[in-house]
């Protein structure tokens, strides 16, 4: 799951890449600058890879099901591992732009849960 600015970095390194616009997957258009709004399918160092160039956010008015739909699609396609990128850590003055950090948990202050089921699907992927 590629955040702002990483779409081109990854798409340039995928072998035999196919680009699928989000609208063809039934996703809303990704409207933020730097979010290409497409799924990238190819090979990364010989491994099948599905990368989402851009994402949808609760603060844009999307519901939790829409925000997590790409994760559900990746799971349905057989993904076993997911890497999420974002701009977390921006408040830590010891971090510089581009520093990497590992997030092991989060505090959900949104008042909603992406695991809320719709009655006929298991939300726990």
């Amino acid at each position: 799951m590629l955040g702002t600015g990483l779409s081109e970095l990854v798409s340039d390194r995928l072998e035999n890449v196919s680009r699928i616009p989000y609208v063809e997957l039934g996703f809303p258009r990704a409207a933020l600058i730097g979010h290409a709004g497409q799924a990238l399918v190819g090979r990364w160092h010989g491994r099948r890879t599905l990368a989402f160039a851009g994402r949808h956010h609760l603060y844009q008015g999307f519901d939790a099901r829409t925000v997590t739909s790409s994760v559900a699609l990746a799971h349905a396609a057989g993904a076993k591992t997911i890497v999420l990128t974002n701009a977390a850590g921006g408040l830590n003055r010891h971090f510089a732009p581009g520093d990497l950090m590992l997030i092991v948990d989060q505090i959900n202050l949104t008042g909603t849960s992406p695991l809320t089921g719709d009655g006929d699907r298991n939300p726990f992927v």
Side-chain angles (χ1 to χ4, degrees):
M1 186 75 56
L2 306 171
T4 304
L6 292 177
S7 298
E8 292 305 314
L9 175 71
V10 171
S11 68
D12 290 347
R13 288 176 170 75
L14 282 176
E15 299 169 10
N16 303 318
V17 65
S18 296
R19 299 166 191 272
I20 306 167
Y22 281 175
V23 295
E24 291 182 19
L25 298 172
F27 296 169
R29 186 176 70 82
L32 294 179
I33 295 171
H35 289 241
Q38 57 188 355
L40 308 170
V41 182
R43 298 192 88 65
W44 180 285
H45 296 279
R47 298 192 63 113
R48 291 180 317 152
T49 302
L50 168 61
F52 292 99
R55 60 175 160 252
H56 304 91
H57 304 82
L58 289 172
Y59 64 75
Q60 292 174 281
F62 295 109
D63 61 36
R65 179 68 61 197
T66 300
V67 169
T68 59
S69 60
S70 53
V71 175
L73 177 62
H75 174 72
K80 303 278 189 260
T81 303
I82 186 168
V83 176
L84 305 170
T85 65
N86 65 26
L91 298 178
N92 186 330
R93 68 184 101 181
H94 300 290
F95 289 160
D99 281 355
L100 298 178
M101 60 185 272
L102 176 65
I103 300 173
V104 296
D105 204 350
Q106 55 93 29
I107 300 172
N108 183 352
L109 300 175
T110 66
T112 186
S113 172
L115 299 178
T116 301
D118 61 7
D120 62 343
R121 257 186 11 181
N122 179 358
F124 301 99
V125 297

